[in-house]
Amino acid sequence: MSSSPTPGPRRTALDALHRSLGATMTDFAGWDMPLRYGSERDEHHAVRTRAGLFDLSHMGEITVTGPQAAALLDHALVGNIGGVKTGRARYTMICREDGGILDDLIVYRLADTEYLVVANASNAQVVLDALVERAAGFDAEVRDDRDAYALLAVQGPESPGIVKALTDADLDGLKYYAGLPGKVAGVPALIARTGYTGEDGFELFVKPEHAVELWQALTEAGEGVGLVPCGLSCRDTLRLEAGMPLYGHELTTELTPFDAGLGRVVKFEKEGDFVGRAALREAAENAHHEPPVLVGLIAEGRRVPRAGYPVVAEGKVIGEVTSGAPSPTLGKPIAMAYVDARYAAPGTTGVAVDIRGSHEPFEVVALPFYKRSK
């Protein structure tokens, strides 16, 4: 009996190019993605000081169109999406009826009745299914556009100059969390001033068949200023330093946006009901129950904390690490962790992480660890 071959991970339009650059590939959320090309530390420093080029084509693009597109998204998501002006973007979340976070999203308003919802790769199907289900009764269409886009990101202080050299679009007028259609190196693109690194930069949504020529044009434009290709490994240390949450680590279905310290994304004042409103109202008002607080931890020693490691103080477990890594910018191991509110104040002493039985001392700090100078 012959068994049918199991399908391998999906490949982006840039797959052959990554391999030609000697990338170390890894399976991430069902996609074969570059983990690093050379040294992840060098890639990290390049983004902080010069520029890095990322393939983010694994992200999940969902287009919502129609006369009631805004009303549908206001019902389906916790944010005020109808209030987003055309050409702007909004960070928001989609929650379950019980308030648990299904995913964090960026929603771009492309036109009066057209939105682009960008979900995390691991949750793209979950978000798509939820939007389709929640669209019942609305005059709006939810379309799976994951195959319609490749996504390239240029991040770092040199990124405006690199992209400017390839476009006539008004980048100077493009604010953070805004997007505009334009051509980059002759390729039609949605040019968005968004990113996940803590640096200035752009995310470029293009058709998959244009991805290779755009990557090559950006590479050439960035040669003189030290642009390097970057993988998922340095993207993780960059977002960790910037205090940005990662789904499955700082955000889960077990947590509400209020538990995650991101209650500001929930807009109770918007018109109409939305999925999770009652549970989230209760979470917002449940002040007598102090949920754990997301804090930053900086190691005093050299050992690296990892997700799931217990945080301890006064001989008891007071929390858990959600993300941890060596910080190339700080030169020390860092972590984000949910801890008992009593131990969350920056400067709290006596806090340690249990790293394989050894209680390693850590300093409690406010997030983010790193903020770029304007």
Side-chain angles (χ1 to χ4, degrees), residues 42 81 116 180 193 233 342:
D42 290 350
I81 307 305
L116 179 65
L180 86 172
R193 201 162 207 153
S233 187
R342 286 176 301 162

Side-chain angles (χ1 to χ4, degrees), residues 346-370:
T348 301
T349 55
V351 172
V353 176
D354 183 340
I355 301 181
R356 299 195 182 125
S358 171
H359 289 192
E360 302 287 335
F362 276 74
E363 178 191 356
V364 178
V365 299
L367 292 168
F369 298 96
Y370 166 86

